[in-house]
Amino acid sequence: MAKKIDKQAKKVYRFGLYGLSASGKTCMLAALAMPRYPHPSGYSCTWQPVSADKKAGEEVAKNWEYSKEWMEKSIERLSQRDVPEPNPTGEEQFIFQYDFTGDNHQTFCIELIDYSGELINPAISSSELAKDLRTRFIEMDGILVLAEAPYWDKLGHQENSEKSRDGEIHVDLYQLRQAFSLLRGEKQEGASLDTPVALIVNKWDRYSTIDYNNPNQEQEKLEKFLHDKIKQPPHKGLYDVLHSSITEGNFKTFPASALGNNEFIRLENGDVVERIKQVKPLKTFGLENAFIWLAEQRNAIDLQHYQVTATKNLDTCKKTGLELLNRFPAKSELAKQVEKTLGQCRIRELAWWVAIIIFIPILWFGAETTMDSFNYRKHQAAIDNSQTTDIQLAKAEQWLNKYIIAVNFRHFFSRKMVLKREKAQVLLTNLQSSREEMLWHLVETAKENKSIILTGEKAAKYLQAYPYGPHAQQAHEIRLSAEIQIKQQENEKAFNHVSGKIRDTQNIEEINQWLEELHSLPKYPEAETDKMRQNRVKLEKQLSNKLVKIASQQDWQKFEKIYDSNMRRGNFLAAAKLLNDRPAEPKLNALKANFRKDVLKALHKQVEQKLKDNRLRDAEKLLAQYDKFPEDL
C-alpha cells in the first residue's frame, strides 16, 4: 500500500542517478525492489511505493504515479526471467523511494531521481547542460553514475565484433565523460563540488567471477581494473573527470551486479543471448553499498559543515543540530559530535546573553554618566550667570531634585565621578533660596508699580514654585485680590457691553434680548460691588421703562390709525366707541374735543343736504345715529 510523502518526519536523502542506455539502470532499480539474497555486510534495501501529496503539484504527482507503474511492470518482467524494458528518455522523470539499512542499524530514506534522459537530450545545449548538471550536483545530497562493465572474454566470440560490447562501451562512456567534463569551467582550478559522488561499475558479473562472501576482494579487482595501465579501460577517463571535479574524499567507485551471474544461451540462428540465471530471490551483488556510502558521506559533509559554521550563526545552530541528531542513532559517535557542537553553541549563546546583560548596563550607565556630566555643566553655568532666566533656573532645580531623590543604582558612577549627592543637595538648597528671593522680589516690584493684576501673576508664579515658601501666605492673599479685581473687570466689561447696546436700539425684540442678558449678570457674583449692583438694577429699571414706553407708543399709533380710518369713511359711531373705550390720557382728551367739533360740523352739513334733496328718511337716520353717541361726545 502506497504511503504519503512526509519529509518533515525524517531526513530524506535525494540522490540523482545518471547513466546512458544499456548501463543497467532499469535492472538495478527493479532489483532493489525485489527479494534478494542477504548482503554479506548486513545491508538491506526495501522499495517504498509512494503516492505524492496533491499539494506537491500535478506534475510531481504524475511522476510518482508513473514511476510506480513502471516499477511494477519491471518487477513482473524480471520475475519471469525476462529483461525489463529500458526506461524511456522522454519528459517523464522517474522518482523512487527506498529504505536502506547499514551495518550499524542506521536507516536511510533515499529518494532516487533518474536524470539520465537529460544527458542525451539533443534539445539541450552544452551550456544549458553544464548549468543543469552543476545545479543538480548542488541540490542533490548525492550523485550516482552508472557505467557498464565489459565482458572479460567478449562472450567467447572475439572474432565477431557484433557480439562485443567493448567498442560500444568506449563510445558510451566517452559521451558520459564529455557530459560530466562540463562541470568544470574554464577558470576553475581544482575540485569545486562538495557533493558525494559514487561511480557504480554495473554488471560486474560480466567481468569478474564474483566472490559474494568477499566483497573487499571484488573492490580490489575494480581498483586494478580502473588503474590497469596496459589495457586502459574506457572507464578510467570517466573516473578521472569525476575524481578531479569532486572534493577530496567525496568520490568513490563500487562494483555491482543487479542480476548476478547470468547464463548464455545460443539460439538456433547462432546468436548468443544472455538470460537471468536465478530469480526469487535474485543473487545480486553490492547494490546497497554505493547508496549507503553516499548517505553516510552526506552526513559526514553536513556534520563537518555544521561543526565549522554552527557557532558562527547561533540562529540556525539549534535547528540544524536537531535535524542532524534525527539522522544518527542515539549515543552513536556522530550523535555525540553533534551534541558536542550543540553544547558549544549553547555556551556561545549563553556567553552572548551574559555579554548582553553586562554590556547593556555598562552602556546605560555610561550614557547616563555622560548626560549627567553634560547637564551638571549646563545647569551650573546657568546658576552662576546673573542674567539667567527663571525658566533656566527652574530646569536646573528640577534636574537637581531628580538627581538627589533617584534610587541608589541610578547615577551610580555620576555620584562618584561627576557630582556627589551631598554636593548636589547643597547646590539645590542654595539654588532654591536664591530663586525664591528672586521670585518674591518680582512680586514686590510689581506691587510698587501698583499693578494688582501683574502682582497677582507674579504671586501665582511664586506659589507654583514654592507653595510652602516663607512668603506663601502673602502671595496667596495677593493672588486672591488680583483674581477678585480681574473678575470685577470682567463684570464691568460685560455690563458696559449691554448698556451700550441698549442706548442704540429701539427694537422691542432686541431690548428683550439684552434685558435677558442683563438678568444673567454678573458673571462673577462674588466679585460684584455695591455700586456695580446699583448700576445694574438701575439699568434694568430703565430698560423696562423704555420697553413699556415703546410698547405704549406703538399701541397709540395703532389706535390712531384705526380711528383715522373710521373718520375718513364717515363711520362716526365706530370712531366714537373707540374714543369712549380707550383709557383716559391727555392725548385722548384732545382727540375727543376735536371729535365733538369736527363731527357736529360734518353732521350739520350732511343733514342740510339730505333735507334739500327731500331725503327726510336719510336725515332721520343720521340724527338717530348721533343719538347713539356717548354722552360726553
Side-chain angles (χ1 to χ4, degrees):
M1 186 175 180
K3 66 176 183 178
K4 294 289 184 181
I5 296 177
D6 184 5
K7 294 188 178 181
Q8 300 298 323
K10 59 181 177 180
K11 167 67 177 176
V12 177
Y13 299 82
R14 302 180 73 240
F15 293 163
L17 176 63
Y18 290 94
L20 296 181
S21 178
S23 60
K25 296 188 305 296
T26 303
C27 292
M28 186 185 73
L29 294 172
L32 287 171
M34 296 178 64
R36 304 177 303 281
Y37 279 113
H39 192 285
S41 299
Y43 299 164
S44 66
C45 172
T46 305
W47 172 51
Q48 297 293 345
V50 173
S51 59
D53 193 337
K54 296 299 182 182
K55 295 180 180 178
E58 183 178 350
E59 184 177 353
V60 174
K62 181 179 178 182
N63 284 339
W64 278 106
E65 192 63 31
Y66 182 74
S67 301
K68 179 173 176 288
E69 293 175 0
W70 179 89
M71 177 64 76
E72 291 173 346
K73 291 179 182 179
S74 299
I75 292 173
E76 180 64 24
R77 293 284 296 268
L78 284 176
S79 299
Q80 302 299 325
R81 297 182 65 191
D82 194 3
V83 177
E85 296 179 0
N87 56 329
T89 58
E91 296 182 356
E92 298 87 355
Q93 191 177 69
F94 285 121
I95 308 175
F96 304 101
Q97 192 174 99
Y98 300 89
D99 284 342
F100 287 83
T101 303
D103 55 357
N104 59 354
H105 305 293
Q106 184 175 358
T107 299
F108 305 98
C109 181
I110 294 177
E111 182 180 293
L112 192 62
I113 305 174
D114 183 4
Y115 292 116
S116 301
E118 299 178 10
L119 296 178
I120 58 176
N121 188 348
I124 300 179
S125 63
S126 297
S127 59
E128 290 175 328
L129 179 57
K131 181 180 179 181
D132 183 69
L133 281 174
R134 182 169 292 278
T135 301
R136 298 301 184 192
F137 270 62
I138 294 174
E139 290 178 348
M140 294 291 108
D141 291 313
I143 300 293
L144 296 112
V145 181
L146 266 65
E148 181 183 2
Y151 289 99
W152 71 276
D153 62 349
K154 301 184 188 296
L155 289 178
H157 294 276
Q158 188 172 1
E159 71 281 7
N160 189 346
S161 60
E162 293 182 359
K163 304 302 180 182
S164 174
R165 280 283 296 160
D166 191 51
E168 295 179 12
I169 290 174
H170 272 278
V171 175
D172 290 346
L173 292 184
Y174 185 74
Q175 292 177 351
L176 202 58
R177 172 183 169 184
Q178 282 183 314
F180 286 113
S181 66
L182 298 173
L183 287 170
R184 306 189 67 184
E186 294 179 357
K187 297 182 179 180
Q188 291 180 350
E189 297 180 359
S192 62
L193 296 171
D194 195 24
T195 303
V197 177
L199 173 59
I200 301 178
V201 181
N202 197 21
K203 305 180 182 180
W204 186 243
D205 55 280
R206 293 179 174 180
Y207 180 82
S208 170
T209 302
I210 299 174
D211 184 354
Y212 288 90
N213 295 321
N214 194 357
N216 291 334
Q217 182 178 346
E218 299 303 320
Q219 188 70 37
E220 292 175 3
K221 289 180 184 180
L222 177 59
E223 295 297 328
K224 290 179 181 180
F225 166 75
L226 290 172
H227 298 89
D228 191 336
K229 295 182 180 180
I230 297 175
K231 295 183 178 181
Q232 296 183 349
H235 305 71
K236 184 62 166 61
L238 178 60
Y239 172 92
D240 291 339
V241 169
L242 292 173
H243 184 267
S244 60
S245 301
I246 308 303
T247 51
E248 186 66 29
N250 288 323
F251 175 70
K252 190 175 181 180
T253 58
F254 295 88
S257 174
L259 305 178
N261 294 326
N262 293 338
E263 60 183 0
F264 301 97
I265 300 175
R266 188 177 298 275
L267 302 179
E268 293 180 358
N269 61 1
D271 290 341
V272 177
V273 296
E274 188 177 11
R275 290 189 62 183
I276 305 171
K277 188 175 183 179
Q278 180 178 334
V279 294
K280 298 181 181 180
L282 292 170
K283 194 172 184 179
T284 60
F285 172 76
L287 288 186
E288 296 89 348
N289 297 26
F291 293 90
I292 293 176
W293 177 83
L294 283 176
E296 291 177 342
Q297 201 61 24
R298 168 48 59 189
N299 287 344
I301 292 173
D302 291 347
L303 176 58
Q304 182 183 18
H305 180 74
Y306 174 67
Q307 291 173 328
V308 171
T309 62
T311 55
K312 298 178 182 178
N313 190 346
L314 297 178
D315 293 336
T316 60
C317 177
K318 183 177 180 180
K319 180 180 178 181
T320 305
L322 294 176
E323 190 274 330
L324 285 174
L325 277 179
N326 195 39
R327 299 189 198 179
F328 308 135
K331 299 183 180 180
S332 65
E333 184 60 31
L334 293 176
K336 291 179 181 178
Q337 293 183 36
V338 176
E339 289 175 349
K340 181 180 179 181
T341 304
L342 268 175
Q344 293 174 352
C345 291
R346 293 189 186 101
I347 292 174
R348 286 179 64 87
E349 184 179 19
L350 179 61
W352 185 83
W353 281 110
V354 170
I356 290 295
I357 293 172
I358 295 175
F359 177 73
I360 289 178
I362 292 176
L363 180 64
W364 187 78
F365 277 118
E368 185 182 51
T369 303
T370 302
M371 288 302 299
D372 286 342
S373 178
F374 171 77
N375 286 325
Y376 172 58
R377 292 194 302 271
K378 181 180 72 172
H379 294 313
Q380 182 66 63
I383 294 171
D384 296 338
N385 187 357
S386 59
Q387 302 300 321
T388 301
T389 64
D390 178 65
I391 295 176
Q392 292 173 307
L393 292 178
K395 291 181 178 179
E397 181 179 343
Q398 183 181 22
W399 179 79
L400 284 170
N401 190 58
K402 290 182 177 180
Y403 184 86
I404 293 169
I405 66 175
V407 294
N408 292 331
F409 71 86
R410 292 289 310 276
H411 312 289
F412 180 79
F413 293 104
S414 301
R415 288 170 180 164
K416 295 184 179 297
M417 298 185 295
V418 179
L419 178 64
K420 293 184 177 180
R421 180 178 287 183
E422 294 78 9
K423 183 177 179 181
Q425 183 64 61
V426 173
L427 186 62
L428 176 62
T429 302
N430 294 336
L431 171 61
Q432 289 175 334
S433 178
S434 300
R435 185 176 174 228
E436 189 273 337
E437 292 178 0
M438 182 188 72
L439 291 176
W440 183 248
H441 177 72
L442 294 176
V443 175
E444 291 181 332
T445 302
K447 189 189 300 184
E448 291 175 359
N449 293 332
K450 298 181 179 180
S451 174
I452 187 62
I453 296 177
L454 180 61
T455 305
E457 292 177 357
K458 300 300 181 182
K461 191 172 183 180
Y462 176 91
L463 289 173
Q464 183 180 5
Y466 302 105
Y468 304 103
H471 303 93
Q473 183 62 35
Q474 289 178 268
H476 184 68
E477 293 173 357
I478 291 172
R479 186 186 66 180
L480 289 178
S481 299
E483 289 178 354
I484 291 297
Q485 184 170 348
I486 291 173
K487 290 178 179 179
Q488 288 175 349
Q489 291 178 352
E490 289 293 324
N491 287 341
E492 187 173 355
K493 181 178 178 181
F495 175 78
N496 293 336
H497 175 70
V498 174
S499 62
K501 292 292 183 179
I502 289 173
R503 298 189 191 97
D504 299 335
T505 183
Q506 295 295 320
N507 186 283
I508 292 179
E509 292 183 0
E510 291 183 1
I511 293 174
N512 283 323
Q513 177 183 345
W514 292 115
L515 187 60
E516 288 182 9
E517 187 169 343
L518 187 62
H519 290 158
S520 66
L521 297 180
K523 294 178 64 176
Y524 303 102
E526 69 277 10
E528 187 180 37
T529 62
D530 291 339
K531 182 178 179 181
M532 294 174 66
R533 183 167 43 257
Q534 292 172 1
N535 291 336
R536 179 171 57 80
V537 172
K538 180 179 179 181
L539 182 60
E540 287 180 356
K541 186 175 181 181
Q542 291 176 354
L543 193 59
S544 298
N545 293 336
K546 186 175 185 180
L547 190 62
V548 170
K549 183 177 179 181
I550 293 173
S552 177
Q553 289 176 351
Q554 291 179 349
D555 181 66
W556 176 258
Q557 292 172 356
K558 183 179 180 180
F559 168 77
E560 278 190 321
K561 185 176 181 180
I562 297 172
Y563 174 78
D564 291 340
S565 176
N566 287 319
M567 291 295 291
R568 285 194 302 273
R569 289 181 294 169
N571 193 359
F572 300 127
L573 180 60
K577 288 184 177 179
L578 287 174
L579 292 175
N580 186 66
D581 294 340
R582 188 162 182 87
E585 56 181 309
K587 290 187 294 184
L588 182 65
N589 294 332
L591 195 62
K592 284 182 177 181
N594 291 332
F595 176 83
R596 285 191 292 268
K597 182 175 65 174
D598 295 339
V599 169
L600 286 175
K601 289 180 180 180
L603 285 175
H604 183 268
K605 183 183 289 187
Q606 290 177 7
V607 169
E608 285 184 345
Q609 186 64 36
K610 299 292 183 185
L611 292 174
K612 288 179 181 181
D613 296 336
N614 293 318
R615 296 169 60 185
L616 299 177
R617 188 176 298 278
D618 291 338
E620 288 178 356
K621 289 182 178 178
L622 289 175
L623 294 174
Q625 186 184 56
Y626 180 74
D627 288 338
K628 295 179 180 178
F629 283 7
E631 292 182 1
D632 59 338
L633 297 178

